[in-house]
Structures are given as C-alpha cells and as structure tokens.
Amino acid sequence: MDNHLIEIDNVSLLRNEKSILENISFQIKKSKALNLYGLNGSGKTSLLKIIVGMTEPTSGFIKNISGDEDLFKKTIYIGHKYGTKGNLTVEENLSYALTINSKNSQLAIKKALETYKMTQQKSMLTKNLSHGQQKKVSLMKTLITNSLLWVIDEPYSALDEESINIFNDTTKEYLENGGALIMTSHKKIKEPFFTTENYKIHS
Amino acid sequence: MKILNIITKEFLLASRSGYEIFMPIVYFLIIIIFFNISTSYVEKVIMLELLPLMIWISCLLICILNLETIFKEDYDDGTLEMFLIKDDEIEFGILIKILSHWLLSNLPIVIVAPLIAMVLGLDTTTTLTLFITLLIGTPTMSLIGSIAAALTISLRKNKILVSIIVLPLYIPILIFGTSAVNNSFFKMNYSVELTLMLFLFFIFLLITPLACSKALKISLD
C-alpha cells in the first residue's frame, strides 16, 4: 500500500433527492495523475469537494491510507474560484499563500514567476490581470508549497497553449518526485503527457 | 507570526479598498451631527443625558452595517475554501480575522466616540464609562455578528438576514451598555453591568470560533 494516498470507498451523494454521484470507488496513487471526466453537471466538482473534505458524502468513505495523518493539510485545492485576492499584487498573493514549512520562500516565488513567465506582471494587482493570468497565479501556488497532493478543478480552462505546456511540464516533474494529482476535465486524456489514469463519472 | 501575517494582509487589503475604510466613522459622525441638530430644541441637560445612549445606538447600528463583510470577500474569491481545507488552526484563524475586522471597522469609533462626547460636554466619568463599555461591547457584537455572517455566507443578499439574526442577541449588550453609561451619568454603581458585559464577551470569545468554523463548513457544503 506504499504508493497509495487516498481510497474513495463507495461514495454516493444525494442532493435535493437527486442522485449526483453513485457508488464511486477508486484509489489515488502516488506519482500518478487521475483525470475525472464527464459531462457538465455530472458531479466532478462535487467529487473533488468530497475528496478534500469540504462536502460530506451521503454514504461511503474517504480513507486516508497514505500513513501520513496530515495528508489533507498538505493538499492544495484549486477550485472554480481561484483564491487570489484582486487587491493584492501577484507577488503578494503568492507570499500570503506560502505555508510555514516552505523554505527559501522568496526564491520559490521568483522561480514560480519565472516558470509561468509572469515576472513582468509581479507587481500588478491581480484584479487588473486577464482571466487566464489569474488562473496562472493560482496554479503558481502549487509550485511554492510542499504538498503531497494537488487537487485542481479544470486546470486547462482559461489557459493558452503555452501555459498548458508549462502546467504539463511542472506536473510531470512533480509526479516524478512522488506527488499526486487529481484533476477534472470534460474529456478523456488520450495522449497523456504524464502518467494519467482516466475515470469517467456518469451522471 | 501567523497572527501578524493575517492582520497585515487584512490591513493591506483594507488600505487598497479605497474610501470604504472610512465608512464607519463617517456614518458615525453623520448620526451624531443629526442627533445634535434635532435635539437642539430640548434642554442641554436632557441632551447630555441622551448623548451617551445615542452614541451606543449608533455604534450598534454601524456594527450591524458592516457585519457581512467579515467573510464575504474571502468567500467570493475562493480564499475561504482553501483556508478551511488546509489550515490546521481554523478556529484561531477565524478569531484573528474577526479581530482585524474589529480593529478596522469598530476600533476607530470606540476611540472617536468618547472624544466627541467630551466635546459635546459630557462629564469625564461618564465618558470614561462610555469608552470602557464600548471597548467591551463592540468586540462582543463583532463576535456574535460573525456567527450570523458565517451562517448566511452562501446567500447572495444576506444583509437583511444577518441583521435579523443578530438583533435579539445584541439586545442584552445594548441593555447592559446603556444601563452602565446611564448609571455612571447619575453617579450610581455600574459594576454589575460591566461584569455581565465581560461575561458575555468571554462566552462569545469561546463559542464564536467553533460556531463560525462549523457554520462556514456547512455553508460551503
């Protein structure tokens, strides 16, 4: 069980007497990306929220089988809302997102800015950036914290091709170093850039 | 370290949000000016007797006005979600957030109100009582209000609901606060009221972080 992080055991979710998720079971493994795909409204985001513990499932369990009690605290969640403050600059947003255990923080921020090619915009207020740039700021948070798991809702939405490549590169490196990723998208990833497992969610 | 981190962030955000930061104090001044004009026909003694009570009411009103802003921005931009998942000390973080909200929107009034009361001719003892009761009362109101704000965060227009929820809970504070000030004005003992206010403050200091974190989790569900 060494390379397993989380077991999703028979999870179902009912909302307003309508079944949104039904008997979903899978495991999240280290060094692997898991792509949850399905139609709009099939419950991808709800499942992510269940995994990170924001929503309680109607039945079923989320089991932490990684052996690390703090797994969920070492998880980065990027949802539909990016979690960036419009009235802070890019750099300030990143520095407030830092966790205490991250060392060489200023260096990490500088590196993240360079990776996503945002160094020029680092002193701009986030609200003045475009939608895609704001998304990049939130994705940069994954690079500056030491996390065991990334949970990202629609990482590719609003990104241009160059940024998608950057995200793929950083994810690949992260997975090779033992990280794990859960993401959602509208379609199955047929030519994976990194080790990807696809899981279809039926509505 | 972490306390400073959250407080500096809130202050930085407040300083960038423009003139909104002055809103409480401006409202307060408006109420006091209107009160003064409208009571200029009554005798000075009666006006002075009413003044501290009026200040108390205006503080309470202003406190209600800006309650829903405590968590609103964090909820809208998604910071709250991440905070609730990741943070190991959610309750502590919430308490610091309430503290910085109080520092930014209530403390200016707590400082200015006694000064204005002095200028308008209130005696020093009553002014001091007014200051002390406001210093205990307004944080209690912020604590109570943040529970209501947390409960209603997911509603788009939550201002009215927040006001209705906090109304009955604010009444005891208003009664004790005004009663203490009034007793002080007539040179009577007001230690009972102060004790009760302190008691309320500590009760809500204990309850609020827990209630808020639960309420926020339910609202985000």
Side-chain angles (χ1 to χ4, degrees), chain A residues 97-153:
Chain A
L98 283 171
T99 45
I100 301 153
N101 54 2
S102 47
K103 287 188 181 114
N104 301 329
S105 44
Q106 289 311 313
L107 202 74
I109 291 176
K110 210 175 149 219
K111 230 175 120 189
L113 285 167
E114 276 164 12
T115 313
Y116 274 94
K117 303 199 168 116
M118 293 273 288
T119 315
Q120 274 186 333
Q121 287 94 345
K122 72 174 179 183
S123 305
M124 275 173 74
L125 290 186
T126 316
K127 66 176 174 192
N128 297 335
L129 297 175
S130 76
H131 211 55
Q133 284 172 318
Q134 288 183 17
K135 175 110 195 181
K136 285 205 274 184
V137 175
S138 76
L139 287 176
M140 262 186 256
K141 287 185 186 171
T142 58
L143 299 180
I144 56 170
T145 42
N146 311 321
S147 46
L148 295 175
L149 175 66
W150 294 355
V151 180
I152 307 179
D153 204 351

Side-chain angles (χ1 to χ4, degrees), chain A residues 55 81 83 85 87 92, chain B residues 16 74-75 77 82 86 221:
Chain A
T55 307
K81 298 171 182 169
K85 290 266 173 216
N87 266 331
E92 284 161 352
Chain B
R16 296 236 172 101
D74 279 4
Y75 174 76
D77 62 25
M82 292 175 193
K86 255 186 84 76
D221 195 348

Side-chain angles (χ1 to χ4, degrees), chain A residues 15 49 52 54-56 72-73 75 77-78 81-85 87-89 92 96 99 125, chain B residues 2 5 8-9 12-13 16-17 73-79 81-82 85-88 217 220-221:
Chain A
R15 273 293 137 88
K49 284 189 170 181
V52 293
M54 212 169 357
T55 307
E56 293 254 309
F72 290 105
K73 281 168 190 161
T75 298
Y77 172 76
I78 296 171
K81 298 171 182 169
Y82 300 153
T84 52
K85 290 266 173 216
N87 266 331
L88 293 180
T89 66
E92 284 161 352
Y96 281 119
T99 45
L125 290 186
Chain B
K2 207 180 136 194
N5 214 12
T8 50
K9 187 180 175 186
L12 189 63
L13 282 169
R16 296 236 172 101
S17 67
E73 202 192 307
D74 279 4
Y75 174 76
D76 286 341
D77 62 25
T79 322
E81 285 181 344
M82 292 175 193
I85 294 165
K86 255 186 84 76
D87 225 279
D88 17 340
K217 276 183 181 161
L220 284 174
D221 195 348

Side-chain angles (χ1 to χ4, degrees), chain A residues 66-81:
Chain A
S66 64
D68 186 345
E69 275 180 35
D70 289 337
L71 172 69
F72 290 105
K73 281 168 190 161
K74 294 176 186 163
T75 298
I76 283 204
Y77 172 76
I78 296 171
H80 277 304
K81 298 171 182 169

Side-chain angles (χ1 to χ4, degrees), chain A residues 2 45 53 73 97 99 142 149 165-167 170 186 203:
Chain A
D2 262 356
T45 303
K73 281 168 190 161
T99 45
T142 58
L149 175 66
N165 287 334
I166 295 171
F167 174 75
T170 54
H186 294 300
S203 48

